[in-house]
Each structure stands twice: as structure tokens, then as C-alpha cells.
Amino acid sequence: MDGIPVRVLKPTTYMNRSGAALASLRGDPAFNAAKDLLILVDDFAIPTGTFRLRNEGSAGGHNGLKSIEGALQSQTYARLRIGVGPLPEGTGDWADYVLVNFDKEQVEQIEALMPEMVTAVDRWLRT
């Protein structure tokens, strides 16, 4: 991207086993998760139409991030958490919510957020 080498990995496992996708990176002695890795995840603990970019921190209950932390043995990696929440009242199981397609309003909120998220990722790449 603009002369910066970028590798995109998309896990082919269930979300709670996302750390397995990092096996090829962990084997590279030049790989440094603290500066070379940005994870993008949906998060129902963050309101739809918002996002949070942090360079380190806990998984905050997110099973995909827990798997990544287990694979890296570290919480020091960047993560862009894209809001898809809150869970609607009466939702007994979060999986029933996050595995369903977005409604029209949610799609519009995420699409409106895209330029700001792209800018944030671009800034992260350049640091």
C-alpha cells in the first residue's frame, strides 16, 4: 500500500480459533507482532457505527482476540475493534446475534464509518 508491504490474512477457522492463522507469521524471525500486526474484529461491546484502534490491551472477552493472544503469548499487537453492538434486549446468546446479517441501518452505519477506519489503518501503517 503506497510502497508499504502489506500481507492480509483471513482466518479459515472459526473465530475463536483465529490465532491459528498466525502460524506462518510466527515462524518468520523478522515478524514482530507489536509493530507488524493489525487485527480487525467485530465487537458487540462497542456500539455500531463506532470503532476503537489500540496498540495493545486485553481481549476484553472477545474469543477471537483471546485465541490470538494465546498464539502470540502477548497482548502487544494492534487491534481495530469495529462496533456491532449493543446486543438487542432479549438476546440470550450473543452467537445468535453476531451470526446474522446486518440490517439496513447497520449496513449504512458501517459504510459511513469506512472512510474513517481506512484513514486510521493508513495512519497505523505509516507509524
Side-chain angles (χ1 to χ4, degrees):
M1 184 174 167
D2 290 335
I4 301 170
V6 174
R7 183 184 323 178
V8 178
L9 300 175
K10 180 179 178 184
T12 56
T13 62
Y14 289 107
M15 178 270 306
N16 61 351
R17 300 209 191 287
S18 298
L22 301 176
S24 64
L25 293 176
R26 289 191 332 257
D28 180 349
F31 173 67
N32 177 347
K35 66 177 188 67
D36 297 334
L37 183 64
L38 173 62
I39 301 293
L40 280 67
V41 296
D42 62 347
D43 194 326
F44 63 78
I46 298 172
T48 301
T50 64
F51 72 93
R52 203 168 55 205
L53 176 61
R54 299 225 169 111
N55 287 324
E56 61 182 69
S58 75
H62 192 287
N63 290 332
L65 294 179
K66 285 180 188 177
S67 175
I68 289 164
E69 287 176 11
L72 296 174
Q73 295 297 295
S74 173
Q75 293 181 340
T76 307
Y77 62 91
R79 74 281 320 269
L80 178 83
R81 298 171 87 134
I82 304 164
V84 295
L87 289 177
E89 268 200 46
T91 303
D93 183 359
W94 61 266
D96 293 336
Y97 175 70
V98 298
L99 297 177
V100 175
N101 291 333
F102 289 137
D103 63 29
K104 184 179 182 218
E105 182 181 349
Q106 290 169 312
V107 169
E108 290 171 357
Q109 288 175 307
I110 298 296
E111 286 177 350
L113 192 60
M114 289 297 287
E116 192 177 344
M117 287 191 294
V118 168
T119 298
V121 170
D122 185 58
R123 267 192 231 122
W124 178 85
L125 276 170
R126 295 173 193 288
T127 59

